[in-house]
């Protein structure tokens, strides 16, 4: 089984990838998307979204990190795909799944699921441009408004030469509302010859097993579930117990130190709040803390709250 850490814009940045791959269980990470319009982007854009390029295209734990591109112009996507691998990315991923309105309005992400021929042209242009040794993967949803083009889109991506295809088993219109329709992935599997990676609504090890059974896929991609339970990959792959809250707090402090050092606190408050919005789905303690944290505005106030909670947790664990 291969477990891939999903790209999540504004959440799974290089610091989060560093933290989660140190915990272990991941075989590949995909970056937040790099938006491509009508030019070959400078190297600094790639380094900003994927600083791992400066260390062999891997996290410190040794997990490969693949650059993801988003756009609609085959030529410019191909040009930037070549640049990505030249800079050290161990392959390229193409985003045809982003549901964000701003992205879709500019003809990027999931809106391209309405244009089967354009999907083919994009993947083929990128595959033809990138040296054969480097994989070219893609990520899709089941469709935009419905599933009428699901099979045609998957077949087009396969025919264009993609190395693998990750399928988020919902349409754009479904958003993130449960359920994820994993049996649809099994249907796709009957129509393509490339490896498929199942994605969507995997929160626990039992979810992962059910997803594998219903999708017919061994390989899975974890997104929000990985943030809700930081060692989710290890609970799936090696049957580890769920990480206790005390360790989660320690992880939050380490993440805080990384974020404050990396961005000087610029994005820290928003990112830690967003992480808590997922943690509270698995940890009751996080739900309680989130009610206080969401009212705070400054990084220093948030850090003080986390330190106080960690100290309280230490006392309780010693008493136990």
């Amino acid at each position: 089984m291969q477990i891939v850490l999903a790209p999540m814009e504004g959440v799974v940045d290089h610091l989060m990838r560093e933290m989660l791959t140190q915990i272990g269980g991941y075989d590949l990470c995909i970056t937040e998307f790099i938006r491509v319009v009508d030019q070959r982007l400078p190297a600094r854009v790639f380094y900003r979204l994927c600083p791992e390029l400066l260390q062999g295209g891997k996290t410190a734990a040794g997990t490969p990190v693949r650059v993801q591109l988003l756009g609609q112009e085959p030529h410019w996507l191909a040009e930037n795909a070549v640049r990505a691998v030249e800079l050290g990315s161990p392959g390229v991923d193409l985003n045809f799944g982003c549901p964000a309105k701003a992205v879709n309005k500019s003809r990027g992400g999931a809106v391209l699921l309405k244009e089967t021929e354009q999907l083919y042209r994009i993947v083929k242009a990128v595959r033809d441009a990138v040296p054969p040794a480097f994989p070219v993967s893609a990520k899709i949803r089941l469709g935009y408004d419905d599933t009428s083009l699901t099979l045609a889109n998957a077949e087009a991506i396969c025919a264009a030469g993609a190395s693998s295809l990750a399928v988020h088993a919902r349409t754009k219109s479904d958003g993130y509302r449960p359920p994820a329709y994993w049996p649809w992935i099994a249907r796709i599997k009957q129509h393509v010859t490339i490896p498929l990676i199942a994605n969507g609504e995997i929160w626990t090890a039992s979810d992962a097993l059910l997803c594998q059974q219903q999708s017919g896929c061994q390989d899975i991609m974890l997104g929000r579930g990985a943030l809700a339970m930081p060692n989710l990959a290890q609970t799936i792959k090696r049957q580890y117990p769920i990480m206790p809250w005390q360790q989660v707090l320690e992880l939050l402090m380490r993440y805080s130190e990384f974020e404050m050092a990396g961005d000087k606190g610029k994005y820290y408050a928003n990112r830690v709040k967003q992480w808590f919005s997922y943690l509270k789905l698995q940890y009751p303690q996080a739900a309680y803390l989130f009610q206080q944290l969401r009212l705070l505005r400054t990084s220093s106030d948030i850090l003080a709250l986390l330190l106080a909670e960690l100290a309280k947790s230490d006392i309780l664990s010693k008493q136990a």
Side-chain angles (χ1 to χ4, degrees):
M1 183 204 323
Q2 299 283 298
I3 299 182
V4 182
L5 180 61
M8 295 179 67
E9 187 188 10
V11 186
V12 182
D13 58 4
H14 69 284
L15 298 173
M16 186 63 77
R17 292 193 293 269
E18 194 74 26
M19 300 285 291
L20 293 178
T21 58
Q22 281 178 12
I23 295 169
Y26 292 99
D27 301 284
L28 175 68
C29 300
I30 309 293
T31 69
E32 302 166 87
F33 67 76
I34 294 175
R35 184 73 168 100
V36 174
V37 183
D38 58 1
Q39 62 177 310
R40 195 167 192 249
L41 296 168
R44 68 176 181 274
V45 174
F46 292 86
Y47 292 139
R48 185 174 70 246
L49 270 295
C50 186
E52 294 97 338
L53 294 173
L54 298 169
Q55 53 191 40
K58 297 180 179 180
T59 67
T63 306
V65 181
R66 189 177 297 171
V67 166
Q68 185 183 76
L69 303 178
L70 179 148
Q72 71 277 1
E73 294 297 334
H75 169 73
W76 291 115
L77 284 163
E79 287 282 313
N80 284 280
V82 170
R83 168 149 286 188
V85 298
E86 287 175 348
L87 292 174
S89 179
V92 177
D93 190 70
L94 297 169
N95 182 323
F96 302 124
C98 179
K101 289 181 180 178
V103 171
N104 292 168
K105 280 182 179 178
S106 57
R107 204 175 165 224
V111 75
L112 287 169
L113 298 173
K114 296 179 177 182
E115 304 181 43
T116 303
E117 284 299 319
Q118 191 67 2
L119 293 180
Y120 176 85
R121 285 192 286 267
I122 289 170
V123 176
K124 189 171 191 318
V126 173
R127 179 67 280 174
D128 288 349
V130 171
F134 295 90
V136 172
S137 55
K139 187 182 182 190
I140 64 170
R141 283 176 171 253
L142 295 180
Y144 192 79
D145 294 315
D146 56 45
T147 56
S148 59
L149 293 175
T150 304
L151 298 179
N153 287 339
E155 289 170 346
I157 290 169
C158 177
S163 310
S164 63
L165 178 62
V167 182
H168 183 150
R170 284 182 274 230
T171 65
K172 184 270 180 189
S173 295
D174 291 331
Y176 293 96
R177 294 187 304 275
Y181 301 95
W182 300 321
W184 253 108
I185 303 176
R187 290 185 62 183
I188 295 170
K189 192 175 182 183
Q190 295 174 353
H191 291 258
V192 300
T193 56
I194 56 176
L196 297 182
I197 302 162
N199 174 232
E201 216 61 26
I202 302 173
W203 299 95
T204 64
S206 59
D207 289 340
L209 181 59
L210 187 60
C211 173
Q212 288 175 316
Q213 292 169 347
Q214 293 189 6
S215 69
C217 291
Q218 276 295 104
D219 299 340
I220 58 174
M221 176 179 279
L222 304 178
R224 295 174 301 153
L227 298 173
M229 188 192 303
N231 72 330
L232 177 58
Q234 293 285 42
T235 71
I236 294 168
K237 191 176 278 187
R238 299 185 177 90
Q239 295 76 53
Y240 282 16
I242 296 172
M243 180 179 284
W245 176 240
Q246 172 80 15
Q247 288 184 28
V248 174
L249 280 173
E250 293 168 0
L251 195 66
L252 279 161
M253 292 309 303
R254 283 170 52 205
Y255 177 74
S256 300
E257 292 169 8
F258 284 159
E259 275 286 2
M260 295 293 284
D263 293 322
K264 297 182 173 60
K266 185 178 179 182
Y267 305 110
Y268 169 71
N270 287 336
R271 283 176 175 162
V272 79
K273 287 177 184 179
Q274 196 156 18
W275 192 3
F276 259 88
S277 72
Y278 296 115
L279 284 171
K280 68 186 179 68
L281 300 176
Q282 291 286 358
Y283 296 93
Q285 304 95 322
Y288 169 74
L289 201 58
F290 184 61
Q291 294 304 312
Q292 302 171 65
L293 185 142
R294 62 198 293 269
L295 301 174
L296 303 179
R297 295 287 179 267
T298 68
S299 300
S300 57
D301 286 344
I302 292 172
L303 279 171
L305 178 64
L306 292 178
L307 280 168
E309 184 68 17
L310 184 60
K312 184 170 70 175
S313 182
D314 279 339
I315 292 170
L316 290 173
S317 63
K318 287 173 183 175
Q319 288 176 344

